[in-house]
Amino acid sequence: MSLLVELAMLVACSQPTKVEVPEPVEGPTLVLSQIDTLMWHQPDSALAVMMEFAASPEADSLDVFEGHYCQVLVAELLFKNDYAQSNRTEVLKAVRYFDSIVGMDGADACDKADARGVAVQKGVSVREREAFLAARAHYINGVGFYEQGDLANACTEYLNTLRIMESHFSEKELVDKKARFMALTYGRLLDMFKDQLMPESAIYCAKQYLLYNQIAPTSLNAKANILYQIGLEYHILHQPDSVVFYYDAAFNALHDRNTIVYRDLMASQALFDYYEVHDTIKALDSLKSMAAQAESETERISRYSTIGDIYLNARQFDSAKVYLKAVFDFSNDDIGKKLAAKALHDIAIGEGDTLKANQYAQFIIEDVAAAAESQKRVSQLNDLFQQHLQWKQDRAEAEKQQVARLRRNRMIVVVCALVVVAALLAWLLHRRKMRQQRDAASQQMEAVQEAHRLEKASMSG
């Protein structure tokens, strides 16, 4: 880890106030671009290359654009290789820098871009590279906030990421790594909303993830996992028909059944069947089978938690205590540990074991301040997300009105053109008629004159 901290320090970036955006044609920019490309496929290899680059003389000659680009890459590489960010200050500077390039100046910057993907502030045309980098800077800044436990700012940054992408790229442009990036951003929001027990928001983000994952799959079993997550959220909402639909879809989408996604799905299906069909033996057999196949202690304990809940619900308290005690003793999940403690406390009360009941009670004493903070946090996240949905709706309406205006303007132009053509045609027909009338009058005059001439000739003769 010290080597990675040193890496973040090695990639020193000067911060002049002027904004320069060189084209990626040669030198450090090209190297960074190559590392960037490699990162999307092999982040571990990309990190090794970045470490080599950081120790090279080229790293000392980075200009302002390259420096900020480099800091975003370092933060992304640390994240993708499961290390905490060590260059938070530089990431924050990069966010402000790229916002300045795309004509934006903060959280509401995305509202300054019109539906055609052109930033209206200062009339700056946003190039694809800079807009994408601005979005990535906000995304990785959100990751940093999340690592610090600041969910409100993390959510804000993820939503800023989506707004930048949706403001500067049309749907047909959101392909390849851009589509994958959109899926990953919605995935971060999905995890956040799921952990805060916000099922409606989680389902929305999961379905958006599916749309972009269909364009650019993030992993082999990503589709199956997201379908499964949607089913879980519908289970929380007590919508069994939707649960069945998404669990079945998840099973059908699985490419490999020797994975934790399959075992999680089987366990959740067993729990769902227990509550819907009330087949206790079948559910427990399935869950115990998944526990036996667990590849880690954490996974095994999670299965024990579900098994203990079923035994508890079936009022088989002796069996419930065996599994719930294992969860209480060995789980690293605070929520799961507290739920197990509460169940064990209730069992002890029922058995008249006051000593054990008090021991568990000490562990599950609710922190009123923490509960209030949790409720406040959920309210903040919900407000932020609803504002984003309103932004999307307003933007869609603005685009719809713009399309209607363009269609109306085209119709006006066509009608005007038709009117002009009709007027021109009428004028030409009028001229032709007048010419014909003049020609007929002239011919008639000539005929009269010829008749007079012939009459005079005959009289003189």
Side-chain angles (χ1 to χ4, degrees), residues 204-217:
Y204 177 90
C205 291
K207 290 182 177 179
Q208 291 298 113
Y209 186 113
L210 282 178
L211 290 176
Y212 290 106
N213 185 74
Q214 187 173 354
I215 300 171

Side-chain angles (χ1 to χ4, degrees), residues 113-115 166-167 171 204 388-405:
D114 66 9
E166 292 173 356
S167 294
E171 282 297 324
Y204 177 90
H388 177 70
L389 294 181
Q390 186 62 49
W391 175 86
K392 284 177 67 74
Q393 183 178 337
D394 292 345
R395 183 171 177 270
E397 184 62 29
E399 288 183 344
K400 183 179 178 181
Q401 291 178 2
Q402 183 183 32
V403 170
R405 283 196 300 270

Side-chain angles (χ1 to χ4, degrees), residues 364-422:
I364 61 175
I365 292 175
E366 288 195 13
D367 186 337
V368 177
E373 181 63 28
S374 176
Q375 187 175 2
K376 178 182 176 182
R377 183 168 56 247
V378 169
S379 179
Q380 285 180 323
L381 295 180
N382 185 63
D383 288 345
L384 288 169
F385 192 62
Q386 292 305 316
Q387 289 169 15
H388 177 70
L389 294 181
Q390 186 62 49
W391 175 86
K392 284 177 67 74
Q393 183 178 337
D394 292 345
R395 183 171 177 270
E397 184 62 29
E399 288 183 344
K400 183 179 178 181
Q401 291 178 2
Q402 183 183 32
V403 170
R405 283 196 300 270
L406 290 173
R407 185 181 294 115
R408 185 168 59 250
N409 290 342
R410 283 196 295 267
M411 290 181 64
I412 291 173
V413 170
V414 170
V415 169
C416 290
L418 290 174
V419 170
V420 170
V421 169

Side-chain angles (χ1 to χ4, degrees), residues 152-433:
N153 275 322
C155 182
T156 298
E157 286 297 75
Y158 294 146
L159 296 177
N160 280 339
T161 297
L162 295 176
R163 292 186 183 187
I164 291 175
M165 294 298 289
E166 292 173 356
S167 294
H168 294 94
F169 301 102
S170 64
E171 282 297 324
K172 66 180 180 181
E173 292 175 310
L174 293 175
V175 296
D176 300 327
K177 62 184 179 183
K178 291 185 182 63
R180 186 179 178 191
F181 179 65
M182 292 290 286
L184 293 173
T185 305
Y186 274 114
R188 297 290 295 182
L189 287 166
L190 165 61
D191 290 340
M192 182 183 295
F193 293 143
K194 182 179 64 176
D195 291 344
Q196 298 303 310
L197 301 179
M198 300 169 61
E200 293 89 352
S201 300
I203 289 171
Y204 177 90
C205 291
K207 290 182 177 179
Q208 291 298 113
Y209 186 113
L210 282 178
L211 290 176
Y212 290 106
N213 185 74
Q214 187 173 354
I215 300 171
T218 56
S219 66
L220 190 62
N221 281 316
K223 180 179 179 181
N225 184 46
I226 297 301
L227 288 167
Y228 164 57
Q229 297 299 330
I230 296 175
L232 282 176
E233 298 306 309
Y234 276 121
H235 196 169
I236 294 174
L237 293 174
H238 305 291
Q239 298 184 25
D241 290 343
S242 295
V243 176
V244 171
F245 175 84
Y246 281 101
Y247 280 180
D248 287 348
F251 275 119
N252 293 331
L254 277 169
H255 291 275
D256 181 6
R257 300 202 167 190
N258 188 28
T259 64
I260 191 170
V261 175
Y262 172 73
R263 295 191 295 274
D264 282 346
L265 185 53
M266 286 292 293
S268 296
Q269 181 71 64
L271 185 62
F272 175 76
D273 288 344
Y274 168 74
Y275 282 112
E276 294 298 316
V277 184
H278 306 293
D279 191 337
T280 305
I281 295 176
K282 181 180 178 181
L284 289 173
D285 285 346
S286 180
L287 285 165
K288 289 177 181 179
S289 174
M290 293 303 103
Q293 297 175 42
E295 294 183 351
S296 68
E297 182 71 3
T298 300
E299 180 185 349
R300 184 174 64 83
I301 291 300
S302 72
R303 309 293 179 223
Y304 282 2
S305 178
T306 308
I307 294 171
D309 286 342
I310 290 180
Y311 275 126
L312 182 67
N313 191 67
R315 304 188 66 78
Q316 298 183 35
F317 299 127
D318 289 339
S319 296
K321 284 193 293 185
V322 172
Y323 290 96
L324 293 175
K325 185 69 166 57
V327 175
F328 179 76
D329 290 339
F330 302 111
S331 177
N332 295 320
D333 178 13
D334 287 340
I335 295 178
K337 204 176 184 76
K338 285 187 177 181
L339 290 174
K342 186 178 185 309
L344 290 167
H345 170 267
D346 293 343
I347 292 174
I349 289 293
E351 294 177 341
D353 192 336
T354 307
L355 179 61
K356 284 189 177 180
N358 288 336
Q359 290 175 346
Y360 291 124
Q362 290 298 318
F363 186 81
I364 61 175
I365 292 175
E366 288 195 13
D367 186 337
V368 177
E373 181 63 28
S374 176
Q375 187 175 2
K376 178 182 176 182
R377 183 168 56 247
V378 169
S379 179
Q380 285 180 323
L381 295 180
N382 185 63
D383 288 345
L384 288 169
F385 192 62
Q386 292 305 316
Q387 289 169 15
H388 177 70
L389 294 181
Q390 186 62 49
W391 175 86
K392 284 177 67 74
Q393 183 178 337
D394 292 345
R395 183 171 177 270
E397 184 62 29
E399 288 183 344
K400 183 179 178 181
Q401 291 178 2
Q402 183 183 32
V403 170
R405 283 196 300 270
L406 290 173
R407 185 181 294 115
R408 185 168 59 250
N409 290 342
R410 283 196 295 267
M411 290 181 64
I412 291 173
V413 170
V414 170
V415 169
C416 290
L418 290 174
V419 170
V420 170
V421 169
L424 180 60
L425 183 59
W427 180 70
L428 290 173
L429 290 173
H430 177 70
R431 284 193 60 187
R432 180 180 178 184
K433 183 177 180 180

Side-chain angles (χ1 to χ4, degrees), residues 445-458:
M445 181 64 70
E446 289 177 358
V448 171
Q449 290 175 349
E450 179 65 21
H452 282 296
R453 187 183 65 75
L454 292 175
E455 183 178 357
K456 287 181 180 180
S458 63

Side-chain angles (χ1 to χ4, degrees), residues 115-132:
R116 297 185 302 277
V118 178
V120 296
Q121 184 182 11
K122 300 181 182 178
V124 180
S125 294
V126 179
R127 284 174 293 177
E128 176 180 324
R129 180 184 62 175
E130 282 68 56
F132 192 33

Side-chain angles (χ1 to χ4, degrees), residues 1-133:
M1 183 60 193
S2 60
L3 183 61
L4 293 170
V5 174
E6 183 182 357
L7 167 64
M9 297 175 63
L10 277 172
V11 188
C13 310
S14 59
Q15 307 294 342
T17 56
K18 62 179 180 177
V19 176
E20 299 175 356
V21 187
E23 293 299 324
V25 290
E26 58 184 6
T29 306
L30 179 58
V31 176
L32 293 174
S33 180
Q34 291 170 339
I35 294 173
D36 194 346
T37 301
L38 180 61
M39 181 185 68
W40 290 92
H41 305 284
Q42 296 176 294
D44 54 344
S45 299
L47 179 60
V49 176
M50 175 62 85
M51 293 171 69
E52 292 179 7
F53 173 74
S56 71
E58 284 185 296
D60 297 325
S61 61
L62 300 178
D63 62 27
V64 61
F65 171 81
E66 293 166 341
H68 288 298
Y69 182 15
C70 183
Q71 292 295 350
V72 172
L73 279 178
V74 168
E76 288 183 317
L77 287 167
L78 291 173
F79 170 59
K80 289 180 181 295
N81 286 278
D82 299 323
Y83 292 99
Q85 288 184 10
S86 57
N87 61 333
R88 289 287 299 140
T89 302
E90 288 75 14
V91 169
L92 290 169
K93 292 177 181 178
V95 169
R96 291 192 292 269
Y97 173 80
F98 287 116
D99 276 352
S100 71
I101 289 181
V102 298
M104 299 180 174
D105 59 1
D108 297 327
C110 309
D111 297 327
K112 297 178 180 177
D114 66 9
R116 297 185 302 277
V118 178
V120 296
Q121 184 182 11
K122 300 181 182 178
V124 180
S125 294
V126 179
R127 284 174 293 177
E128 176 180 324
R129 180 184 62 175
E130 282 68 56
F132 192 33
L133 281 173

